[in-house]
Amino acid sequence: MSDPIMIERENPARPLEIVGAVPITSPEAVDKVVVAADTAQQEWSDVSLASRCEILTTAAVALNSERIEEIAEVLARELGKPLPDSRGEVGFAAVFLKHCIATAPQVLVEDVVDDDAGRLIFRHVPYGVVAAISPWNAPVILSMLKIAPALVAGNAVVVKPSPYAPLAITDVIVTLAAGLPAGLLQIIHGGPETGEALISHPLVRKVAFTGGNVVAKAIGAAAAKVITPTVMELGGNDAAIFLDDAVLNDAAFDRIVTASYATSGQVCMASKRIYIPRERHDEFVAGFIEACARMVRLGDPLVEGVTVGPVVTRAAQERLEKLVADSVESGGAVLDVGTVDDSAAGDGYFVRPQLVVGLADNAQLVAEEQFGPLVPVMAYDDVDEVVARANAGELGLGASVWSADEDRAFQIAARLEAGFVFINTHNRTGMSMRAPFGGVKKSGFGREYGDEGILEYVQTCVTHAPALFRAGADPEATSRASRAYPGQ
Ligand code: NAD
């Protein structure tokens, strides 16, 4: 047998350094993986929910603080995500797994109705093998959002992460899988060819995808060919709307700055365009720049004090440089923000965090998802206008409304076309494990987090015994009902 072709992942802060490598899974090998997953799943779905929770709890012990620390360092080096954020992501994945284990027994409870009309049993039946296809920007948590609910619900999971961040998630899966039945949780590697072999496999019963809208179309088409359902978490172009009474203190600026630049702005639910009342525009820009001076430091993700690392690839860096040039051509004033550490001096894929003012909504930086550390701030004159501007476009992932009056903020939030609206915050500081997250319009369908995020991995299957057809029922009524529609 020939040696597998390897995917090498470089450190985006120091591209000559190879952080690690993973073998590309050939389409033939994908078949073996899925068949093993299917075999494991059949036994796993026969295990009671309580026992599944126990087994997962024991397996999760291996994801202890020491292991989290080791994996976080790998994540920081392969992705450029600053170490505290990498630690946060891996630690949160462990917390989320425990959360799913704790909530599943209430969410997946079997409902029974037994009354004069008959007996109905509603069972939550797992799909079978779930294909989890995740992006590079938060490879550990975005995979765990699929792994944890799918496993607890009785499915097997095959993860295919992005070739741009395959290492930390491999470590997480190897760590967890050691405590699970063989084949139940597996990882494969590669690009579109491997991904499509997985999606098209006849034993894959559900595809869970997080990524961009272009790839979503290819995945949707491949899944449709084999009539496999999908859940899709796609891109966003989140508007952050500050109302005239918004509290603009240091803590508020700290939150909006984190929401904009964490992971170098490469977050689906980052605040990607900021709207501020015209009369408070200059005050906002000054406060934002001041907060960046405190909080934004560009550099090597392993250097203490660095809060913004490089972007993922040279191609991403070049795309963002063009976006800056386009913003200038479109009449925007581009302002550098934050500070730069010496470690950002080399040939890493660093992009200077910037704020852009004076752009119209049709400028590329405002109209499209930038996925980088560039944030446009626009003035508005009235609330109806800003709601219309926030709702323009095809994406509807997140949004935020900032106001001292929470009720007023909720009223405006209800008018926004977004799957999740944050009040007085945005991005990760506003997430809740009990709240379903996902997009409207072209930002996707299906949900992660919350009870819905678990129910995404089961189908409701029903057993029904109508009372009318029970032995001993009134023969005349039975005879009439034998030909009628229910309830008539
Ligand atoms: P991507 O769409 O390029 O890739 C995502 C995954 O799909 C990768 O694993 C990739 O290898 C795989 N893939 C590519 N082509 C495929 C094919 N033909 N068949 C099967 N798999 C294939 O996304 P990305 O660049 O890794 O991530 C960035 C995008 O993800 C952004 O648009 C971002 O907004 C979005 N995102 C959304 C959420 C959310 O929860 N809504 C979260 C994070 C990121």
Side-chain angles (χ1 to χ4, degrees), residues 132-138 142 145-146 160-164 190-199 209-216 218-219 222 232-236 266-269 272 312 369 371 397 437-439 443-444 448-449:
I133 301 183
S134 54
W136 48 263
N137 63 327
L142 294 175
L145 292 178
K146 301 160 182 54
K160 196 215 76 64
S162 166
Y164 299 123
E193 200 190 358
T194 308
E196 288 192 18
L198 179 63
I199 295 162
F209 173 69
T210 300
N213 297 43
V214 174
V215 172
I219 288 184
M232 296 216 174
E233 298 289 345
L234 310 180
Q266 305 167 118
V267 179
C268 59
M269 55 178 171
K272 294 186 176 144
V312 66
E369 180 183 43
F371 230 57
L397 190 61
F437 182 86
S443 285
E448 291 186 324
Y449 294 98

Side-chain angles (χ1 to χ4, degrees), residues 323-335 355-360 363 365-366 376-378:
L323 194 52
V324 174
D326 181 88
S327 300
V328 173
E329 260 173 48
S330 305
V334 178
L335 311 170
L355 180 71
V356 185
V357 294
L359 285 176
L365 179 61
V366 186
V377 175
M378 279 78 57

